[in-house]
Amino acid sequence: MDDGKPTGPQAEWWSRPPAAPTGRTEPDGAAAAPAAAMEDVTGAAPTRHTPDTDDRNTGGPRPAAETAAPDRPAPGPAAPAPGAGEPGERGGDGGPVRPPGQPLHEPDEYSTPPYGGPGPWAPAPPVQLPTPPHGTAVPPHAAGPASRYGGTSGAGIPAQPPAPPAEPLVPPPARPAAYAQPPAPVPQGSHGQEPAPQHGQWLQYDPWGAPGQPLTRPGPPAGVEPERRKSRRSGAFAGVLLLTLVASGIGGGVGAYIERNGGLTTVELPQAGRDGGDRAPTSVAGIAASALPSVVTLHVSGTAESGTGTGFVLDEQGHILTNNHVVAPAGSSGDITVTFSTGETAAAELVGKDSGYDLAVVKVRGVSGLTPLPLGNSDNVQVGDPVVAIGAPFDLSNTVTSGIISAKQRPITAGGEKGDGSDISYVDALQTDAPINPGNSGGPLVDSRAHVIGINSAIRAADSGRGPEAGGQSGSIGLGFAIPINQGKRVAEELINTGRATHPVIGVTLDMQYTGDGAKVGAEGAEGGPAVAKDGPADAAGIRSGDVITAVEGQRVRSGEELIVKIRAHRPGDELDLLLTRGGKERTVTLTLGSASGT
């Protein structure tokens, strides 16, 4: 049953492929090679011992010629045994030699696989593996001088002769009889001589290979040991890993150096050249340059305490204006030292002071070349005008800050540490947001023309609920207060001329416990006398005990302190219009301010 398939001779299904015909063309020079050239390149051809029985035949003992096989069998045709005649096989019982190419079993008349012709269950023909890229090494003496592959890898590439092994090869253990292969047929030489045994290099011949690659050999190229290649690969990997670690360390060090030093070279940044230092006179720098030579720092020490403040020069005679609370620690026997903006120092003496206005004048002697600071007019100041404060906050001399006038005629009181009210100052102050801190007290507040418009005296402390405090130890929160220079000028002149300052008064005693709106005249005066001084300015104007004064010169008055502040903002002898309430009715009175000596 051929089923349309080729009917020519078929290969045995499970037997070895039949021996090649004697007329097969060998590679050039291969047939002429002597038998010695076909020996193994290792110098020894170890034999493999197989069982004496073969279950694929009759089970009889096998001749010695059949048990000898090359060390490395290959899928190609088996090498003929030396000394054999016509290729063939003996039967298991020592019968006659089987002709070459004859099947191991009798033909099956039914053509039943596996002993018949190829059927639907017949396996595919053996697969010929492609020739390795490196080719198959051919020993130089495997062919004659005319061989085109002699001494090459089979692809025309010169091959290095492999080194002999360190120790002889050990034959593998014998297979069981069930897996023993049938002996290959022994071909007859062309001239009646037995051919030399083929070397392992010739065990596979690739008839479909490209020209120049007729020989194949599985495994690594000849002379290369896999173990040594593996060790070389491991050594290369270790070398690459070590090189990577070294490079990483060097790179990290270089990166850290560059990050810390900004690079491997010196960096030069562009910079503007020096200018002449000229600034506009109305700029903060121009104002500071004009005013700083006239500003001084005062260091005061007494028997119980000491302090630091600021002052400014009033004239060339050496008179310096400052706050009363700055020089108060010196008492009557303390020391006052003045330090100028140039760093020169000089001793100073107290000329006069007034706690009601919180002003004092000291004088230095033996100092020449003083530059007085020009005085402005505080009545010309408007809210929003730029100002500059100069002083020594926390003993940091020649400190300049700037801001604006944020309010005018802000009634404030400062002092009161004694508890009897004798040290309380009442100031109708200028409010500024220029930073003022402890140590700025007594320093000038100047306008855009570097003219003094106020004397820095108090700040609103963030940690105090009692209102503005002079000499407080809290920092600036943008609420600073300065005594108007118009008031300071009058008091300074009196202190320099007489050593004492005068206060304007109306001749009444106020009820400081009154919580209503306005300033209420008390029921009785000091030491049990009348609340309205007899023949005083208030008595002459018709003011009585119990009247509530609500405005001075049209400015609203909300408390007794505010009334005192408004009165002291004027000079003795000034006429003022007062609005008061009596019995639920309002009336206006005019009076002339009297005078009283300060303390």
Side-chain angles (χ1 to χ4, degrees), residues 325-523:
H325 71 265
V326 171
V327 299
S332 58
S333 60
D335 296 329
I336 302 175
T337 303
V338 175
T339 303
F340 295 91
S341 60
T342 59
E344 299 179 0
T345 61
E349 61 182 9
L350 181 64
V351 174
K353 63 179 182 177
D354 187 274
S355 60
Y357 289 113
D358 192 22
L359 292 173
V361 174
V362 298
K363 184 178 181 179
V364 293
R365 299 184 183 276
V367 179
S368 60
L370 297 178
T371 303
L373 191 59
L375 305 181
N377 191 326
S378 55
D379 290 341
N380 297 333
V381 175
Q382 301 295 324
V383 174
D385 285 349
V387 291
V388 173
I390 304 175
F394 301 102
D395 202 15
L396 300 174
S397 301
N398 304 324
T399 297
V400 177
T401 58
S402 64
I404 62 170
I405 295 296
S406 53
K408 293 176 58 177
Q409 297 177 342
R410 186 73 72 188
I412 64 169
T413 59
E417 286 81 6
K418 293 183 178 180
D420 56 0
S422 61
D423 61 339
I424 297 177
S425 61
Y426 300 92
V427 180
D428 195 22
L430 299 173
Q431 179 179 312
T432 178
D433 66 349
I436 297 175
N437 293 283
N440 275 105
S441 294
L445 184 69
V446 299
D447 59 13
S448 59
R449 295 180 294 175
H451 292 173
V452 181
I453 59 174
I455 302 100
N456 300 320
S457 299
I459 62 173
R460 169 71 69 174
D463 58 352
S464 174
R466 299 178 299 169
E469 293 181 348
Q473 294 303 306
S474 297
S476 172
I477 60 172
L479 292 174
F481 302 95
I483 300 171
I485 192 59
N486 289 2
Q487 182 177 349
K489 175 181 179 295
R490 180 183 67 83
V491 174
E493 290 172 346
E494 291 181 349
L495 292 175
I496 293 172
N497 294 328
T498 66
R500 298 179 70 89
T502 58
H503 299 171
V505 293
I506 61 176
V508 297
T509 301
L510 299 177
D511 183 6
M512 304 302 291
Q513 304 300 321
Y514 179 68
T515 58
D517 189 16
K520 184 179 181 179
V521 179

Side-chain angles (χ1 to χ4, degrees), residues 160-404:
Q160 297 294 333
E167 57 185 12
L169 299 177
V170 179
R175 292 187 181 181
Y179 299 97
Q181 297 182 358
V186 181
Q188 178 66 33
S190 60
H191 299 286
Q193 296 180 356
E194 297 180 358
Q198 290 185 335
H199 189 267
Q201 301 284 356
W202 300 87
L203 294 182
Q204 289 187 6
Y205 171 69
D206 185 4
W208 299 282
Q213 295 184 0
L215 304 178
T216 61
R217 179 176 180 176
V224 178
E225 298 181 7
E227 293 79 3
R228 184 175 301 176
R229 191 191 320 177
K230 182 176 181 181
S231 62
R232 291 177 181 175
R233 191 177 297 119
S234 300
F237 176 76
V240 171
L241 180 60
L242 179 60
L243 180 61
T244 302
L245 294 177
V246 173
S248 300
I250 295 175
V254 172
Y257 178 84
I258 292 176
E259 181 181 1
R260 295 177 181 177
N261 299 279
L264 299 177
T265 59
T266 302
V267 176
E268 294 185 3
L269 301 177
Q271 185 181 18
R274 294 176 60 91
D275 58 13
D278 297 334
R279 297 292 184 273
T282 57
S283 66
V284 175
I287 296 170
S290 177
L292 276 173
S294 302
V295 181
V296 300
T297 301
L298 285 78
H299 295 88
V300 181
S301 60
T303 57
E305 55 182 338
S306 62
T308 302
T310 309
F312 58 94
V313 178
L314 292 174
D315 53 30
E316 295 181 354
Q317 287 75 29
H319 291 103
I320 296 172
L321 182 63
T322 185
N323 282 134
N324 175 68
H325 71 265
V326 171
V327 299
S332 58
S333 60
D335 296 329
I336 302 175
T337 303
V338 175
T339 303
F340 295 91
S341 60
T342 59
E344 299 179 0
T345 61
E349 61 182 9
L350 181 64
V351 174
K353 63 179 182 177
D354 187 274
S355 60
Y357 289 113
D358 192 22
L359 292 173
V361 174
V362 298
K363 184 178 181 179
V364 293
R365 299 184 183 276
V367 179
S368 60
L370 297 178
T371 303
L373 191 59
L375 305 181
N377 191 326
S378 55
D379 290 341
N380 297 333
V381 175
Q382 301 295 324
V383 174
D385 285 349
V387 291
V388 173
I390 304 175
F394 301 102
D395 202 15
L396 300 174
S397 301
N398 304 324
T399 297
V400 177
T401 58
S402 64
I404 62 170

Side-chain angles (χ1 to χ4, degrees), residues 505-508 536-543 549 552-553 567 573-578 580 588-594:
V505 293
I506 61 176
V508 297
D539 186 30
I543 298 176
I549 302 173
V552 175
E553 291 293 311
I567 296 299
D574 292 345
E575 289 187 353
L576 300 178
D577 293 333
L578 304 181
L580 55 86
T588 300
V589 298
T590 301
L591 55 79
T592 302
L593 294 176

